[in-house]
PDB file of all heavy atoms in Angstrom:
ATOM      1  N   SER A  78      -5.834  -1.370  18.047  1.00 97.00           N
ATOM      2  CA  SER A  78      -6.269  -0.183  18.777  1.00 97.00           C
ATOM      3  C   SER A  78      -6.986   0.744  17.810  1.00 97.00           C
ATOM      4  O   SER A  78      -6.622   0.822  16.636  1.00 97.00           O
ATOM      5  CB  SER A  78      -5.037   0.508  19.372  1.00 97.00           C
ATOM      6  OG  SER A  78      -5.374   1.692  20.043  1.00 97.00           O
ATOM      7  N   TRP A  79      -7.983   1.455  18.315  1.00 96.00           N
ATOM      8  CA  TRP A  79      -8.734   2.397  17.488  1.00 96.00           C
ATOM      9  C   TRP A  79      -8.365   3.812  17.915  1.00 96.00           C
ATOM     10  O   TRP A  79      -8.350   4.123  19.099  1.00 96.00           O
ATOM     11  CB  TRP A  79     -10.230   2.189  17.671  1.00 96.00           C
ATOM     12  CG  TRP A  79     -11.001   2.479  16.416  1.00 96.00           C
ATOM     13  CD1 TRP A  79     -10.963   3.639  15.698  1.00 96.00           C
ATOM     14  CD2 TRP A  79     -11.889   1.611  15.736  1.00 96.00           C
ATOM     15  NE1 TRP A  79     -11.789   3.533  14.606  1.00 96.00           N
ATOM     16  CE2 TRP A  79     -12.367   2.306  14.598  1.00 96.00           C
ATOM     17  CE3 TRP A  79     -12.343   0.316  15.973  1.00 96.00           C
ATOM     18  CZ2 TRP A  79     -13.266   1.753  13.708  1.00 96.00           C
ATOM     19  CZ3 TRP A  79     -13.236  -0.235  15.080  1.00 96.00           C
ATOM     20  CH2 TRP A  79     -13.697   0.474  13.960  1.00 96.00           C
ATOM     21  N   HIS A  80      -8.057   4.676  16.942  1.00 97.00           N
ATOM     22  CA  HIS A  80      -7.741   6.074  17.235  1.00 97.00           C
ATOM     23  C   HIS A  80      -8.989   6.781  17.753  1.00 97.00           C
ATOM     24  O   HIS A  80     -10.110   6.461  17.354  1.00 97.00           O
ATOM     25  CB  HIS A  80      -7.211   6.780  15.984  1.00 97.00           C
ATOM     26  CG  HIS A  80      -6.678   8.142  16.262  1.00 97.00           C
ATOM     27  ND1 HIS A  80      -7.484   9.257  16.243  1.00 97.00           N
ATOM     28  CD2 HIS A  80      -5.442   8.569  16.590  1.00 97.00           C
ATOM     29  CE1 HIS A  80      -6.758  10.323  16.529  1.00 97.00           C
ATOM     30  NE2 HIS A  80      -5.506   9.926  16.747  1.00 97.00           N
ATOM     31  N   SER A  81      -8.812   7.759  18.611  1.00 95.00           N
ATOM     32  CA  SER A  81      -9.930   8.470  19.232  1.00 95.00           C
ATOM     33  C   SER A  81     -10.818   9.195  18.221  1.00 95.00           C
ATOM     34  O   SER A  81     -11.996   9.432  18.496  1.00 95.00           O
ATOM     35  CB  SER A  81      -9.425   9.436  20.304  1.00 95.00           C
ATOM     36  OG  SER A  81      -8.401  10.263  19.790  1.00 95.00           O
ATOM     37  N   CYS A  82     -10.304   9.529  17.033  1.00 95.00           N
ATOM     38  CA  CYS A  82     -11.149  10.181  16.019  1.00 95.00           C
ATOM     39  C   CYS A  82     -12.047   9.173  15.307  1.00 95.00           C
ATOM     40  O   CYS A  82     -13.014   9.560  14.653  1.00 95.00           O
ATOM     41  CB  CYS A  82     -10.296  10.933  15.004  1.00 95.00           C
ATOM     42  SG  CYS A  82      -9.438   9.874  13.815  1.00 95.00           S
ATOM     43  N   GLY A  83     -11.716   7.893  15.396  1.00 94.00           N
ATOM     44  CA  GLY A  83     -12.528   6.857  14.778  1.00 94.00           C
ATOM     45  C   GLY A  83     -12.197   6.543  13.338  1.00 94.00           C
ATOM     46  O   GLY A  83     -12.807   5.662  12.745  1.00 94.00           O
ATOM     47  N   ASP A  84     -11.222   7.233  12.743  1.00 96.00           N
ATOM     48  CA  ASP A  84     -10.891   7.030  11.335  1.00 96.00           C
ATOM     49  C   ASP A  84      -9.713   6.086  11.094  1.00 96.00           C
ATOM     50  O   ASP A  84      -9.479   5.678   9.956  1.00 96.00           O
ATOM     51  CB  ASP A  84     -10.571   8.366  10.660  1.00 96.00           C
ATOM     52  CG  ASP A  84     -11.789   9.277  10.583  1.00 96.00           C
ATOM     53  OD1 ASP A  84     -12.924   8.757  10.532  1.00 96.00           O
ATOM     54  OD2 ASP A  84     -11.613  10.502  10.578  1.00 96.00           O
ATOM     55  N   PHE A  85      -8.970   5.753  12.145  1.00 97.00           N
ATOM     56  CA  PHE A  85      -7.766   4.940  11.988  1.00 97.00           C
ATOM     57  C   PHE A  85      -7.732   3.794  12.997  1.00 97.00           C
ATOM     58  O   PHE A  85      -8.170   3.944  14.132  1.00 97.00           O
ATOM     59  CB  PHE A  85      -6.506   5.795  12.161  1.00 97.00           C
ATOM     60  CG  PHE A  85      -6.423   6.920  11.177  1.00 97.00           C
ATOM     61  CD1 PHE A  85      -6.833   8.195  11.538  1.00 97.00           C
ATOM     62  CD2 PHE A  85      -5.975   6.700   9.886  1.00 97.00           C
ATOM     63  CE1 PHE A  85      -6.787   9.241  10.630  1.00 97.00           C
ATOM     64  CE2 PHE A  85      -5.938   7.735   8.969  1.00 97.00           C
ATOM     65  CZ  PHE A  85      -6.338   9.015   9.339  1.00 97.00           C
ATOM     66  N   VAL A  86      -7.188   2.681  12.549  1.00 98.00           N
ATOM     67  CA  VAL A  86      -6.960   1.513  13.387  1.00 98.00           C
ATOM     68  C   VAL A  86      -5.483   1.176  13.289  1.00 98.00           C
ATOM     69  O   VAL A  86      -4.877   1.320  12.224  1.00 98.00           O
ATOM     70  CB  VAL A  86      -7.830   0.320  12.903  1.00 98.00           C
ATOM     71  CG1 VAL A  86      -7.357  -0.991  13.482  1.00 98.00           C
ATOM     72  CG2 VAL A  86      -9.288   0.561  13.238  1.00 98.00           C
ATOM     73  N   ALA A  87      -4.909   0.732  14.398  1.00 98.00           N
ATOM     74  CA  ALA A  87      -3.511   0.303  14.415  1.00 98.00           C
ATOM     75  C   ALA A  87      -3.462  -1.179  14.749  1.00 98.00           C
ATOM     76  O   ALA A  87      -4.288  -1.683  15.515  1.00 98.00           O
ATOM     77  CB  ALA A  87      -2.722   1.101  15.448  1.00 98.00           C
ATOM     78  N   SER A  88      -2.493  -1.880  14.163  1.00 98.00           N
ATOM     79  CA  SER A  88      -2.321  -3.305  14.448  1.00 98.00           C
ATOM     80  C   SER A  88      -0.850  -3.604  14.695  1.00 98.00           C
ATOM     81  O   SER A  88       0.036  -2.968  14.124  1.00 98.00           O
ATOM     82  CB  SER A  88      -2.847  -4.157  13.290  1.00 98.00           C
ATOM     83  OG  SER A  88      -2.183  -3.842  12.077  1.00 98.00           O
ATOM     84  N   ALA A  89      -0.605  -4.592  15.563  1.00 98.00           N
ATOM     85  CA  ALA A  89       0.752  -5.021  15.923  1.00 98.00           C
ATOM     86  C   ALA A  89       0.871  -6.501  15.599  1.00 98.00           C
ATOM     87  O   ALA A  89      -0.034  -7.279  15.922  1.00 98.00           O
ATOM     88  CB  ALA A  89       0.995  -4.787  17.412  1.00 98.00           C
ATOM     89  N   SER A  90       1.982  -6.910  14.981  1.00 98.00           N
ATOM     90  CA  SER A  90       2.071  -8.278  14.489  1.00 98.00           C
ATOM     91  C   SER A  90       3.348  -8.996  14.892  1.00 98.00           C
ATOM     92  O   SER A  90       4.402  -8.386  15.087  1.00 98.00           O
ATOM     93  CB  SER A  90       1.962  -8.269  12.961  1.00 98.00           C
ATOM     94  OG  SER A  90       2.158  -9.557  12.416  1.00 98.00           O
ATOM     95  N   ALA A  91       3.239 -10.322  14.931  1.00 98.00           N
ATOM     96  CA  ALA A  91       4.395 -11.182  15.165  1.00 98.00           C
ATOM     97  C   ALA A  91       5.377 -11.116  14.001  1.00 98.00           C
ATOM     98  O   ALA A  91       6.508 -11.585  14.122  1.00 98.00           O
ATOM     99  CB  ALA A  91       3.943 -12.621  15.393  1.00 98.00           C
ATOM    100  N   ASP A  92       4.989 -10.509  12.875  1.00 98.00           N
ATOM    101  CA  ASP A  92       5.912 -10.360  11.746  1.00 98.00           C
ATOM    102  C   ASP A  92       6.915  -9.229  11.960  1.00 98.00           C
ATOM    103  O   ASP A  92       7.737  -8.946  11.101  1.00 98.00           O
ATOM    104  CB  ASP A  92       5.161 -10.191  10.419  1.00 98.00           C
ATOM    105  CG  ASP A  92       4.356  -8.897  10.298  1.00 98.00           C
ATOM    106  OD1 ASP A  92       4.525  -7.976  11.129  1.00 98.00           O
ATOM    107  OD2 ASP A  92       3.540  -8.806   9.361  1.00 98.00           O
ATOM    108  N   GLY A  93       6.852  -8.560  13.133  1.00 98.00           N
ATOM    109  CA  GLY A  93       7.795  -7.495  13.469  1.00 98.00           C
ATOM    110  C   GLY A  93       7.375  -6.118  13.010  1.00 98.00           C
ATOM    111  O   GLY A  93       8.122  -5.159  13.178  1.00 98.00           O
ATOM    112  N   THR A  94       6.186  -6.004  12.440  1.00 98.00           N
ATOM    113  CA  THR A  94       5.704  -4.703  11.971  1.00 98.00           C
ATOM    114  C   THR A  94       4.416  -4.322  12.684  1.00 98.00           C
ATOM    115  O   THR A  94       3.740  -5.156  13.276  1.00 98.00           O
ATOM    116  CB  THR A  94       5.419  -4.697  10.455  1.00 98.00           C
ATOM    117  OG1 THR A  94       4.277  -5.512  10.175  1.00 98.00           O
ATOM    118  CG2 THR A  94       6.630  -5.161   9.652  1.00 98.00           C
ATOM    119  N   SER A  95       4.092  -3.054  12.566  1.00 98.00           N
ATOM    120  CA  SER A  95       2.786  -2.522  12.959  1.00 98.00           C
ATOM    121  C   SER A  95       2.248  -1.791  11.745  1.00 98.00           C
ATOM    122  O   SER A  95       3.010  -1.353  10.884  1.00 98.00           O
ATOM    123  CB  SER A  95       2.921  -1.548  14.122  1.00 98.00           C
ATOM    124  OG  SER A  95       3.406  -2.204  15.254  1.00 98.00           O
ATOM    125  N   LYS A  96       0.945  -1.669  11.696  1.00 98.00           N
ATOM    126  CA  LYS A  96       0.328  -0.975  10.570  1.00 98.00           C
ATOM    127  C   LYS A  96      -0.691   0.028  11.082  1.00 98.00           C
ATOM    128  O   LYS A  96      -1.363  -0.207  12.083  1.00 98.00           O
ATOM    129  CB  LYS A  96      -0.341  -1.964   9.609  1.00 98.00           C
ATOM    130  CG  LYS A  96       0.663  -2.861   8.893  1.00 98.00           C
ATOM    131  CD  LYS A  96      -0.008  -3.727   7.858  1.00 98.00           C
ATOM    132  CE  LYS A  96       0.990  -4.619   7.154  1.00 98.00           C
ATOM    133  NZ  LYS A  96       1.859  -3.902   6.216  1.00 98.00           N
ATOM    134  N   ILE A  97      -0.785   1.138  10.359  1.00 98.00           N
ATOM    135  CA  ILE A  97      -1.813   2.145  10.586  1.00 98.00           C
ATOM    136  C   ILE A  97      -2.761   2.053   9.400  1.00 98.00           C
ATOM    137  O   ILE A  97      -2.354   2.255   8.251  1.00 98.00           O
ATOM    138  CB  ILE A  97      -1.203   3.570  10.696  1.00 98.00           C
ATOM    139  CG1 ILE A  97      -0.091   3.617  11.743  1.00 98.00           C
ATOM    140  CG2 ILE A  97      -2.308   4.592  10.963  1.00 98.00           C
ATOM    141  CD1 ILE A  97      -0.508   3.255  13.152  1.00 98.00           C
ATOM    142  N   TRP A  98      -4.002   1.718   9.695  1.00 98.00           N
ATOM    143  CA  TRP A  98      -5.017   1.505   8.663  1.00 98.00           C
ATOM    144  C   TRP A  98      -5.979   2.688   8.627  1.00 98.00           C
ATOM    145  O   TRP A  98      -6.465   3.118   9.655  1.00 98.00           O
ATOM    146  CB  TRP A  98      -5.818   0.245   8.966  1.00 98.00           C
ATOM    147  CG  TRP A  98      -5.008  -0.998   9.116  1.00 98.00           C
ATOM    148  CD1 TRP A  98      -4.484  -1.491  10.285  1.00 98.00           C
ATOM    149  CD2 TRP A  98      -4.619  -1.908   8.093  1.00 98.00           C
ATOM    150  NE1 TRP A  98      -3.810  -2.659  10.027  1.00 98.00           N
ATOM    151  CE2 TRP A  98      -3.878  -2.940   8.693  1.00 98.00           C
ATOM    152  CE3 TRP A  98      -4.853  -1.956   6.715  1.00 98.00           C
ATOM    153  CZ2 TRP A  98      -3.363  -4.008   7.976  1.00 98.00           C
ATOM    154  CZ3 TRP A  98      -4.328  -3.015   5.996  1.00 98.00           C
ATOM    155  CH2 TRP A  98      -3.589  -4.035   6.618  1.00 98.00           C
ATOM    156  N   ASP A  99      -6.241   3.187   7.423  1.00 97.00           N
ATOM    157  CA  ASP A  99      -7.252   4.218   7.201  1.00 97.00           C
ATOM    158  C   ASP A  99      -8.570   3.488   6.942  1.00 97.00           C
ATOM    159  O   ASP A  99      -8.727   2.824   5.914  1.00 97.00           O
ATOM    160  CB  ASP A  99      -6.855   5.089   6.007  1.00 97.00           C
ATOM    161  CG  ASP A  99      -7.814   6.227   5.756  1.00 97.00           C
ATOM    162  OD1 ASP A  99      -9.036   6.064   5.979  1.00 97.00           O
ATOM    163  OD2 ASP A  99      -7.347   7.290   5.317  1.00 97.00           O
ATOM    164  N   VAL A 100      -9.481   3.569   7.886  1.00 96.00           N
ATOM    165  CA  VAL A 100     -10.734   2.819   7.794  1.00 96.00           C
ATOM    166  C   VAL A 100     -11.589   3.320   6.633  1.00 96.00           C
ATOM    167  O   VAL A 100     -12.258   2.541   5.959  1.00 96.00           O
ATOM    168  CB  VAL A 100     -11.500   2.889   9.133  1.00 96.00           C
ATOM    169  CG1 VAL A 100     -12.846   2.204   9.033  1.00 96.00           C
ATOM    170  CG2 VAL A 100     -10.668   2.276  10.253  1.00 96.00           C
ATOM    171  N   ASN A 101     -11.568   4.612   6.364  1.00 95.00           N
ATOM    172  CA  ASN A 101     -12.407   5.182   5.300  1.00 95.00           C
ATOM    173  C   ASN A 101     -11.965   4.729   3.909  1.00 95.00           C
ATOM    174  O   ASN A 101     -12.794   4.401   3.061  1.00 95.00           O
ATOM    175  CB  ASN A 101     -12.431   6.703   5.392  1.00 95.00           C
ATOM    176  CG  ASN A 101     -13.059   7.165   6.694  1.00 95.00           C
ATOM    177  OD1 ASN A 101     -14.057   6.628   7.130  1.00 95.00           O
ATOM    178  ND2 ASN A 101     -12.457   8.155   7.322  1.00 95.00           N
ATOM    179  N   SER A 102     -10.650   4.704   3.658  1.00 96.00           N
ATOM    180  CA  SER A 102     -10.152   4.270   2.353  1.00 96.00           C
ATOM    181  C   SER A 102      -9.914   2.764   2.305  1.00 96.00           C
ATOM    182  O   SER A 102      -9.609   2.228   1.239  1.00 96.00           O
ATOM    183  CB  SER A 102      -8.868   5.012   1.985  1.00 96.00           C
ATOM    184  OG  SER A 102      -7.797   4.589   2.828  1.00 96.00           O
ATOM    185  N   GLU A 103     -10.011   2.103   3.471  1.00 96.00           N
ATOM    186  CA  GLU A 103      -9.827   0.655   3.590  1.00 96.00           C
ATOM    187  C   GLU A 103      -8.426   0.220   3.177  1.00 96.00           C
ATOM    188  O   GLU A 103      -8.232  -0.874   2.635  1.00 96.00           O
ATOM    189  CB  GLU A 103     -10.888  -0.100   2.784  1.00 96.00           C
ATOM    190  CG  GLU A 103     -12.307   0.249   3.180  1.00 96.00           C
ATOM    191  CD  GLU A 103     -13.369  -0.489   2.391  1.00 96.00           C
ATOM    192  OE1 GLU A 103     -13.026  -1.300   1.505  1.00 96.00           O
ATOM    193  OE2 GLU A 103     -14.557  -0.252   2.670  1.00 96.00           O
ATOM    194  N   ARG A 104      -7.426   1.071   3.471  1.00 96.00           N
ATOM    195  CA  ARG A 104      -6.043   0.774   3.080  1.00 96.00           C
ATOM    196  C   ARG A 104      -5.073   1.017   4.228  1.00 96.00           C
ATOM    197  O   ARG A 104      -5.354   1.786   5.140  1.00 96.00           O
ATOM    198  CB  ARG A 104      -5.626   1.652   1.902  1.00 96.00           C
ATOM    199  CG  ARG A 104      -6.437   1.417   0.655  1.00 96.00           C
ATOM    200  CD  ARG A 104      -5.898   2.249  -0.492  1.00 96.00           C
ATOM    201  NE  ARG A 104      -6.731   2.106  -1.662  1.00 96.00           N
ATOM    202  CZ  ARG A 104      -6.575   1.150  -2.572  1.00 96.00           C
ATOM    203  NH1 ARG A 104      -5.623   0.267  -2.432  1.00 96.00           N
ATOM    204  NH2 ARG A 104      -7.378   1.095  -3.618  1.00 96.00           N
ATOM    205  N   CYS A 105      -3.928   0.372   4.104  1.00 97.00           N
ATOM    206  CA  CYS A 105      -2.837   0.612   5.048  1.00 97.00           C
ATOM    207  C   CYS A 105      -2.187   1.941   4.699  1.00 97.00           C
ATOM    208  O   CYS A 105      -1.751   2.143   3.564  1.00 97.00           O
ATOM    209  CB  CYS A 105      -1.815  -0.519   4.971  1.00 97.00           C
ATOM    210  SG  CYS A 105      -0.379  -0.260   6.030  1.00 97.00           S
ATOM    211  N   ARG A 106      -2.147   2.846   5.656  1.00 96.00           N
ATOM    212  CA  ARG A 106      -1.516   4.141   5.424  1.00 96.00           C
ATOM    213  C   ARG A 106      -0.005   4.042   5.632  1.00 96.00           C
ATOM    214  O   ARG A 106       0.761   4.598   4.856  1.00 96.00           O
ATOM    215  CB  ARG A 106      -2.106   5.197   6.340  1.00 96.00           C
ATOM    216  CG  ARG A 106      -1.420   6.545   6.127  1.00 96.00           C
ATOM    217  CD  ARG A 106      -2.114   7.650   6.791  1.00 96.00           C
ATOM    218  NE  ARG A 106      -3.206   8.106   5.928  1.00 96.00           N
ATOM    219  CZ  ARG A 106      -3.921   9.175   6.197  1.00 96.00           C
ATOM    220  NH1 ARG A 106      -3.702   9.876   7.274  1.00 96.00           N
ATOM    221  NH2 ARG A 106      -4.884   9.550   5.391  1.00 96.00           N
ATOM    222  N   TYR A 107       0.428   3.364   6.708  1.00 96.00           N
ATOM    223  CA  TYR A 107       1.849   3.190   6.996  1.00 96.00           C
ATOM    224  C   TYR A 107       2.107   1.812   7.568  1.00 96.00           C
ATOM    225  O   TYR A 107       1.284   1.291   8.325  1.00 96.00           O
ATOM    226  CB  TYR A 107       2.354   4.218   8.029  1.00 96.00           C
ATOM    227  CG  TYR A 107       2.420   5.624   7.498  1.00 96.00           C
ATOM    228  CD1 TYR A 107       1.510   6.574   7.931  1.00 96.00           C
ATOM    229  CD2 TYR A 107       3.386   5.999   6.570  1.00 96.00           C
ATOM    230  CE1 TYR A 107       1.552   7.868   7.443  1.00 96.00           C
ATOM    231  CE2 TYR A 107       3.435   7.291   6.083  1.00 96.00           C
ATOM    232  CZ  TYR A 107       2.519   8.217   6.523  1.00 96.00           C
ATOM    233  OH  TYR A 107       2.558   9.491   6.041  1.00 96.00           O
ATOM    234  N   THR A 108       3.248   1.252   7.219  1.00 97.00           N
ATOM    235  CA  THR A 108       3.779   0.078   7.896  1.00 97.00           C
ATOM    236  C   THR A 108       4.961   0.557   8.723  1.00 97.00           C
ATOM    237  O   THR A 108       5.905   1.142   8.181  1.00 97.00           O
ATOM    238  CB  THR A 108       4.224  -1.004   6.895  1.00 97.00           C
ATOM    239  OG1 THR A 108       3.082  -1.414   6.132  1.00 97.00           O
ATOM    240  CG2 THR A 108       4.806  -2.214   7.620  1.00 97.00           C
ATOM    241  N   LEU A 109       4.874   0.346  10.042  1.00 98.00           N
ATOM    242  CA  LEU A 109       5.918   0.794  10.954  1.00 98.00           C
ATOM    243  C   LEU A 109       6.932  -0.326  11.122  1.00 98.00           C
ATOM    244  O   LEU A 109       6.610  -1.407  11.609  1.00 98.00           O
ATOM    245  CB  LEU A 109       5.296   1.172  12.306  1.00 98.00           C
ATOM    246  CG  LEU A 109       4.092   2.121  12.258  1.00 98.00           C
ATOM    247  CD1 LEU A 109       3.562   2.378  13.657  1.00 98.00           C
ATOM    248  CD2 LEU A 109       4.454   3.419  11.557  1.00 98.00           C
ATOM    249  N   ARG A 110       8.170  -0.055  10.673  1.00 97.00           N
ATOM    250  CA  ARG A 110       9.239  -1.044  10.743  1.00 97.00           C
ATOM    251  C   ARG A 110      10.354  -0.520  11.636  1.00 97.00           C
ATOM    252  O   ARG A 110      10.657   0.656  11.612  1.00 97.00           O
ATOM    253  CB  ARG A 110       9.806  -1.314   9.353  1.00 97.00           C
ATOM    254  CG  ARG A 110       8.852  -2.037   8.435  1.00 97.00           C
ATOM    255  CD  ARG A 110       9.495  -2.298   7.060  1.00 97.00           C
ATOM    256  NE  ARG A 110       8.699  -3.189   6.251  1.00 97.00           N
ATOM    257  CZ  ARG A 110       7.673  -2.822   5.506  1.00 97.00           C
ATOM    258  NH1 ARG A 110       7.314  -1.557   5.473  1.00 97.00           N
ATOM    259  NH2 ARG A 110       6.997  -3.704   4.792  1.00 97.00           N
TER     260      ARG A 110
END
Side-chain angles (χ1 to χ4, degrees):
S78 177
W79 213 305
H80 189 272
S81 51
C82 75
D84 294 332
F85 301 97
V86 164
S88 58
S90 175
D92 66 12
T94 69
S95 296
K96 293 186 180 287
I97 307 300
W98 304 91
D99 183 326
V100 176
N101 297 318
S102 70
E103 303 180 0
R104 297 184 184 272
C105 176
R106 178 169 277 187
Y107 290 108
T108 299
L109 310 179
R110 291 181 170 84

